[in-house]
């Protein structure tokens, strides 16, 4: 079976450095809030292009803490609206509703899979206070029009950069474009830890101080609690592993882009459709989604041909039971994506033979 993603093989690429890094933490006797997290926060902020990085427990916490901090600072309040793409992983939505804010779902463009910036302005009301863009699949979701709308209506721009480490818009990396960004380092991400891990990046020093306190039980001074906070920390072992893998992120993204280029250039089956091909600077190919009206049959066939695929995401947020009040909302483009999307294997450890075989199998199926 050609695996969708072999985390074991990815980790093996850096095994000796990872073992050394983990052993260094174990031998240090210091496992939280130490030198490794400080080093990673500095290195990742420099890489993304922001003044600050705050390591947290996971990507959902990163987004949730951004909105919570804005509430504590008086920028947001209960009932304020946040515009967000309807086509996204549910974490983007959960971070909003957990803070008693109101998600306003906006359809994507089918050809880009990202939020349709032509639909945003009509959704803005007096209660709209922020736009969240999601760089889904590794594709840059930002447009100049979104930036103009944020300025026109004085809206905060929050980036969900969970799937796009290293992606760019012009000279800026995603994660440095908006007012703040949440990052996930779940093991399967382009920059993945060996467990859950996340971060916030921003240039806002006051926001940083607030998030650090909120993530540390609400405390910036021992036994003194300014907020009713939570415990959300990136541990020393994960930080050490991420420091190792960050050095190779650009190289790994280029390997993903090489696989994607071969798919785009050589899959000729007319029943398989692609999203718009972006320049490599604007797509780091966390996933490679294709679309087929007979998606389930295609997946079954590929499985029979020993090619593992995954559907992202078969049930969109507005169809989930946890948001049953939205179940009757009409979002036809989001529903079409959920109905037809299939993700092909793509990773920095795929062999050329595996890539060639996947293309051959796809071109042979009717």
């Amino acid at each position: 079976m050609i695996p969708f993603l072999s985390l074991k093989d990815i980790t093996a690429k850096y095994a000796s450095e990872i073992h050394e890094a983990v052993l260094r933490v174990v031998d240090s006797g210091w496992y939280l809030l130490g030198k490794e997290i400080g080093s990673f926060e500095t290195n990742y902020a420099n890489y993304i292009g922001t003044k600050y990085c705050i390591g947290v427990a996971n990507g959902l916490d990163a987004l949730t803490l951004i909105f919570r901090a804005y509430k504590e600072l008086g920028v947001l309040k209960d009932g304020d609206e946040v515009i967000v793409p309807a086509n996204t992983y549910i974490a983007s939505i959960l971070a909003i509703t957990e803070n008693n804010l109101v998600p306003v779902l906006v359809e994507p463009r089918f050809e880009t899979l990202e939020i349709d910036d032509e639909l945003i302005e009509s959704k803005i009301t007096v209660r709209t206070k922020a736009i969240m863009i999601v760089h889904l699949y590794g594709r840059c979701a930002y447009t100049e029009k979104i930036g103009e709308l944020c300025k026109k209506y004085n809206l905060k721009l929050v980036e969900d950069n969970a799937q796009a480490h290293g992606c760019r818009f012009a000279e800026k990396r995603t994660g440095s474009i908006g007012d703040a960004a949440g990052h996930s380092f779940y093991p399967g991400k382009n920059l993945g830890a060996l467990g859950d891990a996340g971060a916030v990046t921003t240039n806002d020093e006051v926001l940083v101080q607030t998030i650090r306190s909120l993530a540390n039980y609400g405390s910036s001074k021992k036994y003194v609690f300014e907020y009713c906070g939570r415990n959300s920390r990136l541990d020393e072992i994960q930080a050490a592993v991420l420091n190792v893998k960050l050095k190779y992120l650009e190289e790994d993204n280029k390997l993903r882009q090489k696989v994607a280029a071969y798919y785009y250039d050589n899959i000729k089956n007319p029943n398989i459709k692609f999203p718009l091909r972006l320049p490599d600077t604007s797509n780091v190919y966390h996933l490679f989604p294709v679309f087929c009206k007979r998606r389930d049959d295609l997946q079954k066939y590929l499985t029979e041909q020993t090619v593992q695929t995954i559907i992202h995401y078969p049930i969109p947020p507005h169809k989930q039971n946890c948001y049953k009040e939205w179940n009757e909302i009409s979002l036809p483009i989001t529903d079409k994506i959920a109905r037809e999307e299939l993700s092909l294997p793509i990773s920095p450890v795929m062999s050329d033979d595996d890539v060639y075989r996947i293309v051959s199998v796809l071109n042979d199926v009717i």
Side-chain angles (χ1 to χ4, degrees):
M1 176 69 75
I2 298 175
F4 179 76
L5 177 67
S6 174
L7 295 178
K8 182 178 179 180
D9 289 347
I10 288 175
T11 304
K13 284 186 68 177
Y14 324 108
S16 62
E17 288 184 72
I18 288 174
H19 290 165
E20 180 182 337
V22 171
L23 184 61
R24 183 173 66 246
V25 174
V26 172
D27 287 347
S28 76
W30 194 294
Y31 308 128
L32 287 170
L33 303 178
K35 293 180 180 179
E36 298 293 344
I37 178 64
S39 173
F40 175 70
E41 287 180 343
T42 298
N43 292 338
Y44 194 63
N46 289 339
Y47 176 78
I48 292 295
T50 55
K51 292 180 181 177
Y52 307 105
C53 169
I54 312 119
V56 296
N58 54 67
L60 174 57
D61 276 8
L63 294 172
T64 303
L65 286 162
I66 290 169
F67 288 115
R68 173 69 189 282
Y70 278 137
K71 288 185 70 179
E72 295 292 350
L73 293 169
V75 176
L76 301 174
K77 64 181 184 304
D78 285 1
D80 282 346
E81 295 174 348
V82 179
I83 288 173
V84 63
N87 175 45
T88 186
Y89 183 57
I90 201 165
S92 310
I93 313 295
L94 290 172
I96 298 169
T97 58
E98 185 173 329
N99 281 288
N100 295 317
L101 303 169
V102 179
V104 177
L105 306 181
V106 175
E107 287 264 65
R109 287 194 179 97
F110 187 78
E111 63 270 22
T112 68
L113 309 179
E114 305 295 344
I115 192 168
D116 188 340
D117 59 6
E118 294 295 332
L119 301 179
I120 292 175
E121 190 162 20
S122 67
K123 300 289 187 178
I124 295 174
T125 72
V126 293
R127 293 195 299 168
T128 306
K129 301 300 179 184
I131 298 174
M132 180 195 285
I133 54 173
V134 183
H135 304 295
L136 204 63
Y137 312 108
R139 302 169 63 91
C140 179
Y142 180 77
T143 66
E144 290 182 351
K145 185 175 182 64
I146 291 173
E148 291 165 2
L149 289 171
C150 288
K151 290 179 182 177
K152 180 177 179 180
Y153 293 98
N154 192 28
L155 305 177
K156 290 295 183 183
L157 180 61
V158 177
E159 298 175 75
D160 181 339
N161 200 48
Q163 298 187 3
H165 312 134
C167 189
R168 290 180 181 270
F169 178 85
E171 298 304 312
K172 286 190 170 185
R173 292 195 194 277
T174 55
S176 71
I177 298 168
D179 295 285
H183 307 253
S184 168
F185 306 121
Y186 180 80
K189 306 297 188 184
N190 291 37
L191 178 60
L194 298 185
D196 277 320
V200 174
T201 54
T202 183
N203 291 317
D204 186 335
E205 184 177 4
V206 176
L207 186 69
V208 167
Q209 292 170 350
T210 308
I211 289 174
R212 285 202 187 279
S213 292
L214 287 167
N216 186 37
Y217 300 96
S219 172
S220 57
K221 181 179 180 182
K222 195 167 186 178
Y223 300 131
V224 178
F225 302 92
E226 298 101 320
Y227 312 107
C228 296
R230 66 200 302 164
N231 175 16
S232 183
R233 295 182 288 214
L234 175 62
D235 70 62
E236 286 286 282
I237 287 179
Q238 301 304 343
V241 170
L242 289 168
N243 263 327
V244 170
K245 296 179 77 174
L246 180 59
K247 296 186 297 183
Y248 302 101
L249 179 57
E250 289 293 296
E251 174 188 323
D252 284 351
N253 282 344
K254 286 175 181 171
L255 292 171
R256 288 174 178 271
Q257 290 160 346
K258 178 183 175 183
V259 174
Y262 192 82
Y263 282 157
Y264 270 115
D265 293 341
N266 292 281
I267 296 174
K268 304 298 183 183
N269 190 321
N271 295 311
I272 297 172
K273 307 299 181 184
F274 301 99
L276 180 70
R277 188 172 183 176
L278 300 176
D280 281 349
T281 53
S282 299
N283 195 345
V284 292
Y285 296 101
H286 172 60
L287 300 172
F288 192 92
V290 297
F291 298 88
C292 180
K293 293 186 183 300
R294 295 175 57 197
R295 186 266 313 279
D296 294 346
D297 291 337
L298 177 61
Q299 185 178 45
K300 180 181 178 183
Y301 173 78
L302 288 169
T303 301
E304 291 169 350
Q305 298 299 313
T306 68
V307 176
Q308 184 183 31
T309 57
I310 293 180
I311 297 168
H312 294 90
Y313 302 93
I315 307 174
H318 74 285
K319 294 295 187 184
Q320 297 287 350
N321 186 58
C322 63
Y323 293 120
K324 53 183 176 291
E325 66 272 23
W326 300 340
N327 287 175
E328 302 307 315
I329 293 176
S330 176
L331 294 167
I333 297 175
T334 298
D335 289 338
K336 179 180 172 66
I337 291 171
R339 190 170 59 247
E340 297 184 7
E341 193 274 347
L342 186 67
S343 296
L344 302 181
I346 191 164
S347 81
V349 294
M350 290 181 69
S351 72
D352 290 345
D353 286 345
D354 283 348
V355 178
Y356 302 156
R357 183 165 181 277
I358 291 167
V359 170
S360 177
V361 168
L362 286 169
N363 284 338
D364 284 345
V365 66
I366 297 175

